[in-house]
Amino acid sequence: VNEALRRLAIGLAVVGLGVASYLTYIHYRGIESVCAIAHGCEQVQTSEWSKLLGVPVALLGLIGYVSLLGALIVDGEAGRLAAVTFAWTGAAFSAYLTYREIFTIDAICIWCVISAFLMADLTVLTTIRFLRAPQARGPAGPPAAAA
Amino acid sequence: MSRKAQLAAVVAAAAVIVVAAVLIAGGSSDKKPPKKRAGEVIPGQTAARSLFAGIPEHGVTLGNPNAKVTMLEFADLQCPACREYTLTVFPDVVKNYVRTGKVKVRFIPLTVISKDSNVAWSYAAGAAQQNKLWNFADLTYINQGQEGTHWVTPLRMRQIARGVTGLDFSRMAAYAATPAAREALGAANTQAGIYGLSSTPSLLVSFGNAYKKLPSFDYQTVSSALDAAASE
């Protein structure tokens, strides 16, 4: 089951990586995104919340998905812990940006919504995977139960 | 440490990272951008258009070319004080002095905030080429981003230009990329030096052949100076 969760999470992270790559590309090219809601993406893209400390949030998303993908590819306790940490951080940041879109910018960027949903799904998957994984034991503890 | 305790630590760490990043970036600001009205492609479009409708405009000059009084406005499109002046004082100046033909106003770029101010001016120069500078500048102020957030981007400039009736963004952007677009910056710096200006907005009013710098940009000060200049 954990392997299935990992593969599903990798699939979602690849999709997220695609979305973030596209948003980063259009940010640096200075072009409008293909957007289903009239000019919503443009308004979000050009708002002051489209950057954090001068770094485009699209690029931060790209870095986040690359990190998450890397953590998912690395099996073991460290990988699981890193994946769940990246996913929760990404989800918290997505929640903040969605709040800004709805209540401050007053516009919705469909690509950001897709990314937020992907990150929420990844958070659920990595959390379940983390909680279900066998507990790592320290050297002084009893040996891990045989499979 | 149990799994659940580890997870709680992860969630807490994620929350701390995001809150810290947002606070450091100044993103906790409650400054809300203006809202779009029905039919607008950008907030403030209707108000800006009606403010300047029917007023002669040529290059950087707004108003009757034969007006006795000239007011020079040294401004930076990124400057928050310029925004305040433009949105709170300037509409009454337009209504009472420019629209009535008593005063003409010239926009002079004094870029003091950052290099992005020069970029913003280049686009404004492109708008001036099409005699749409004042409407473009007004919409830029209305939709001005927070200082230091590098909000002056080609996309934002296009979004603003889209809100100015008759302004061709392609021509404007093409002109903005030429050295001619920035020529006014050098001339403005020279003029600013002559008058000892270092901040924006700085307003100068003509009294005969000489210009006097106004001590502040509140409506009372501006209107008194314009009345005095007109009666000279």
Side-chain angles (χ1 to χ4, degrees):
Chain A
V1 176
N2 266 10
E3 185 55 23
L5 288 173
R6 187 166 79 104
R7 288 185 179 183
L8 183 56
I10 287 173
L12 290 176
V14 168
V15 176
L17 188 61
V19 171
S21 300
Y22 174 65
L23 288 172
T24 305
Y25 170 75
I26 61 169
H27 177 89
Y28 282 108
R29 284 292 310 275
I31 56 176
E32 276 184 82
S33 64
V34 177
C35 191
I37 302 169
H39 303 307
C41 285
E42 187 185 52
Q43 210 171 328
V44 173
Q45 231 181 309
T46 57
S47 75
E48 61 195 75
W49 290 277
S50 68
K51 288 183 182 174
L52 189 72
L53 296 170
V55 181
V57 292
L59 181 60
L60 292 176
L62 182 64
I63 294 168
Y65 280 113
V66 168
S67 307
L68 185 49
L69 199 53
L72 287 166
I73 289 167
V74 175
D75 203 6
E77 182 66 10
R80 282 190 292 271
L81 183 61
V84 79
T85 305
F86 291 139
W88 273 95
T89 306
F93 197 57
S94 290
Y96 167 73
L97 292 175
T98 304
Y99 162 80
R100 283 297 186 194
E101 280 185 62
I102 296 170
F103 295 104
T104 311
I105 307 170
D106 201 23
I108 292 290
C109 171
I110 195 71
W111 294 102
C112 308
V113 172
I114 291 170
S115 178
F117 271 108
L118 286 170
M119 202 50 96
D121 291 344
L122 282 163
T123 304
V124 172
L125 292 178
T126 55
T127 301
I128 294 170
R129 180 168 167 257
F130 180 74
L131 291 174
R132 290 173 60 104
Q135 181 89 47
R137 304 272 180 203
Chain B
M1 189 189 269
S2 74
R3 284 276 179 215
K4 284 182 180 172
Q6 282 180 317
L7 184 63
V10 163
V11 174
V16 168
I17 290 168
V18 172
V19 169
V22 167
L23 290 179
I24 291 168
S28 60
S29 160
D30 285 328
K31 178 188 172 189
K32 293 193 81 168
K35 300 271 185 191
K36 272 197 293 190
R37 287 168 58 184
E40 291 186 332
V41 296
I42 189 164
Q45 179 185 347
T46 312
R49 186 172 52 209
S50 60
L51 179 63
F52 302 109
I55 300 177
E57 193 173 336
H58 185 73
V60 297
T61 306
L62 176 75
N64 173 12
N66 300 316
K68 182 183 175 188
V69 179
T70 302
M71 184 165 79
L72 305 181
E73 178 184 327
F74 287 78
D76 183 331
L77 293 169
Q78 282 205 111
C79 142
C82 300
R83 179 182 194 270
E84 187 193 337
Y85 162 75
T86 301
L87 301 190
T88 60
V89 177
F90 191 57
D92 286 333
V93 173
V94 171
K95 183 180 154 197
N96 299 326
Y97 295 94
V98 180
R99 191 171 283 286
T100 54
K102 296 177 191 166
V103 174
K104 60 180 179 292
V105 191
R106 287 175 60 81
F107 187 101
I108 301 177
L110 184 58
T111 52
V112 294
I113 302 289
S114 74
K115 286 179 181 173
D116 285 353
S117 302
N118 295 344
V119 177
W121 161 253
S122 297
Y123 281 99
Q129 278 284 304
Q130 298 176 48
N131 301 323
K132 299 282 181 189
L133 166 72
W134 288 90
N135 196 335
F136 177 78
D138 202 57
L139 261 189
T140 304
Y141 283 127
I142 291 171
N143 294 280
Q144 190 183 65
Q146 202 164 346
E147 201 174 326
T149 56
H150 304 290
W151 58 271
V152 179
T153 62
L155 198 58
R156 174 73 74 103
M157 295 293 104
R158 181 167 64 184
Q159 192 188 21
I160 291 169
R162 214 183 245 156
V164 181
T165 307
L167 181 58
D168 180 341
F169 179 74
S170 302
R171 275 174 58 204
M172 177 185 169
Y175 185 78
T178 65
R182 299 198 180 197
E183 271 173 14
L185 293 170
N189 276 330
T190 308
Q191 266 187 299
I194 292 167
Y195 294 111
L197 311 176
S198 57
S199 62
T200 53
S202 285
L203 303 175
L204 279 77
V205 173
S206 66
F207 286 83
N209 291 326
Y211 281 94
K212 282 186 187 169
K213 181 182 181 294
L214 305 192
S216 62
F217 57 82
D218 59 283
Y219 183 72
Q220 184 61 42
T221 303
V222 177
S223 63
S224 299
L226 294 176
D227 288 337
S231 62
E232 268 222 340

